[in-house]
Amino acid sequence: MRTPEAIETLGAAMRVGVLGGGQLGRMLALAGYPLGIRTALYDPTPDACAGQVAPLISAPYDDLDALARFAENKACLTYEFENVPLAAAQFLAERVSLHPAPRALEIFQDRLQEKQFLRSVGVPTPTFAPIDPAAPEAALHITGLPCVVKTRRLGYDGKGQGVAHTAQEFHALVQRFQPHPLIAEAFVPFDREVSAIGVRAHDGQIAVYPIVENHHDGGVLRLSVVNPDDALNEQGQARAYLTRLLETLDYVGVMALEMFQVGNQLLANEVAPRVHNSGHWTIEGAETSQFENHLRAILGLPLGSVAPRGYSAMVNLIGAIPPIEPILQIPNAHLHLYGKSPRPGRKVGHITLRTDTREALEQQLIPLMEILSAR
Ligand code: AMP
């Protein structure tokens, strides 16, 4: 029998604090419960949806007293979105272990640093150049046309970016986004968009989930399809890139790498130093979910298997909650609602389909997409 003190020590060793209280924080908290992991959230928004399932401290990211209180009695801290102010992450990392380390935040918060880092470790990217507001055409000469103009910071789900087909359009975009620092990228005529999710443990063990094919709608992820037989899994390119990124940064936790596939070649578009929307399928579709593996990694526990359980597809629910009865009638459909009030463009939930064969997945996706498009 353990003494009450021993139980308390064990409890403290399993206490995790998550910066950010959105759906990713919520799914991290839910994944922790079966393992006895107690998650608390920190979010400036008092009604952040993760607060429905775990204790939430609501305070601004520059409130050092609140941050210090949040760090108390935690075995470790992590974050569920990469725009946590770097100063807050650094302040916390001085008090308690924070994974992934603030260095990863620093790099991946800025599209220019991100692309330079990817290149420096030999991960190919689209041609890119920083835009100098005094001489923007220099960037255009490097990327050529068409190109994509993006804000270096705080862009997500296709926000803060636009495609230029002519020099006039390029200059108009530069004008529109100023005074934000900008980057230009060559427009990639990709065959498809894919992502890979990897996790690295304290002891350096790395595991990578099968590749996912992603379909976006207006810049927002709509559908992810996981086919364990995908030829990219055989090539191991994505695995090699992720391994290089994780090892170079001495990274601990889950990392997602979004890529463009052109022929047989993968070009890195974006890195997320956190659990990722294109990994939600792992809750039902893999032996261990990305959320559980992230918690295991940051707590210094052994990683779980990333082996897929058959074939999976994940559909995001964006802007509205569909009628749930017909969805629940679809065999192998798993509904997740985040407890958020719907508004246009907002991710309010997702559905994962998991089947034993590819044919069954394709068959069941048809009625599901019909239900969702009938709204
Ligand atoms: P991002 O915010 O960088 O992930 O971009 C959002 C979406 O814009 C991507 O998922 C792509 O569909 C598209 N996109 C971004 N950059 C490029 C590019 N260089 N070439 C072609 N499409 C792009």
Side-chain angles (χ1 to χ4, degrees):
M1 287 284 281
R2 291 183 198 269
T3 62
E5 292 75 26
I7 291 170
E8 186 47 35
T9 308
L10 187 68
M14 298 289 265
R15 257 187 218 139
V16 173
V18 180
L19 299 170
Q23 65 266 23
L24 300 176
R26 179 177 171 115
M27 287 185 269
L28 279 167
L30 292 173
Y33 283 119
L35 294 178
I37 296 169
R38 291 156 69 177
T39 305
L41 293 310
Y42 189 105
D43 197 299
T45 312
D47 64 349
C49 72
Q52 296 166 12
V53 305
L56 174 92
I57 287 190
S58 184
Y61 282 119
D62 59 3
D63 183 338
L64 300 186
D65 290 337
L67 286 173
R69 275 201 311 281
F70 186 64
E72 276 168 20
N73 299 320
K74 300 288 188 309
C76 70
L77 302 179
T78 187
Y79 43 91
E80 56 115 58
F81 83 127
E82 63 272 38
N83 290 320
V84 168
L86 187 60
Q90 285 166 336
F91 174 82
L92 289 167
E94 283 163 15
R95 282 158 180 78
V96 60
S97 86
L98 172 75
H99 294 294
R103 175 84 184 117
L105 269 186
E106 188 175 7
I107 295 171
F108 301 125
Q109 278 179 351
D110 175 358
R111 289 186 194 271
L112 178 62
Q113 282 196 56
E114 176 175 59
K115 292 233 156 45
Q116 287 169 336
F117 177 72
L118 286 160
R119 284 284 177 90
S120 75
V121 297
V123 175
T125 69
T127 304
F128 66 91
I131 297 178
D132 175 356
E137 53 291 339
L140 192 54
H141 289 144
I142 295 170
T143 63
L145 285 166
C147 71
V148 188
V149 175
K150 300 181 178 180
T151 54
R152 280 173 52 179
R153 292 179 171 276
L154 298 173
Y156 68 98
D157 285 348
K159 294 188 177 64
Q161 62 177 271
V163 180
H165 299 90
T166 63
Q168 285 90 325
E169 283 178 8
F170 170 80
H171 288 291
L173 282 170
V174 172
Q175 282 267 305
R176 184 169 118 204
F177 292 132
Q178 262 172 8
H180 298 292
L182 302 174
I183 181 174
E185 292 173 20
F187 181 87
V188 179
F190 53 78
D191 297 315
R192 58 177 185 153
E193 293 189 77
V194 297
S195 59
I197 292 180
V199 55
R200 184 170 179 273
H202 272 278
D203 66 0
Q205 186 197 350
I206 288 175
V208 179
Y209 291 93
I211 206 107
V212 178
E213 180 177 318
N214 296 319
H215 301 266
H216 296 85
D217 193 355
V220 183
L221 182 66
R222 175 75 174 154
L223 170 70
S224 291
V225 182
V226 193
N227 168 13
D229 312 327
D230 196 307
L232 279 182
N233 288 316
E234 303 301 315
Q235 293 173 28
Q237 262 182 89
R239 178 178 304 268
Y241 294 167
L242 266 175
T243 302
R244 235 174 280 163
L245 293 168
L246 293 166
E247 285 180 345
T248 307
L249 288 168
D250 196 18
Y251 188 99
V252 173
V254 163
M255 174 188 281
L257 175 60
E258 292 185 80
M259 294 163 285
F260 301 129
Q261 184 178 358
V262 188
N264 276 332
Q265 160 110 69
L266 291 177
L267 295 176
N269 174 38
E270 210 172 17
V271 175
R274 55 168 169 81
V275 287
H276 193 255
N277 194 172
S278 69
H280 291 358
W281 66 274
T282 58
I283 297 176
E284 290 90 9
E287 286 298 333
T288 317
S289 79
Q290 63 164 348
F291 302 101
E292 179 175 335
N293 257 338
H294 184 69
L295 293 170
R296 288 187 187 214
I298 63 176
L299 283 166
L301 300 169
L303 298 182
S305 164
V306 293
R309 302 167 71 206
Y311 297 74
S312 298
M314 189 264 347
V315 190
N316 269 339
L317 302 177
I318 300 164
I321 297 172
I324 64 173
E325 288 82 359
I327 292 167
L328 296 178
Q329 275 166 4
I330 298 175
N332 311 317
H334 302 273
L335 176 65
H336 297 252
L337 295 177
Y338 305 147
K340 291 161 74 172
S341 42
R343 56 170 188 256
R346 195 177 204 201
K347 292 176 185 166
V348 291
H350 74 265
I351 299 162
T352 299
L353 268 185
R354 195 215 64 78
T355 62
D356 290 333
T357 65
R358 197 173 159 180
E359 292 70 35
L361 186 72
E362 284 166 7
Q363 275 165 19
Q364 293 185 20
L365 253 180
I366 297 168
L368 177 59
M369 297 314 265
E370 276 170 3
I371 294 167
L372 297 180
S373 60
R375 287 180 291 128

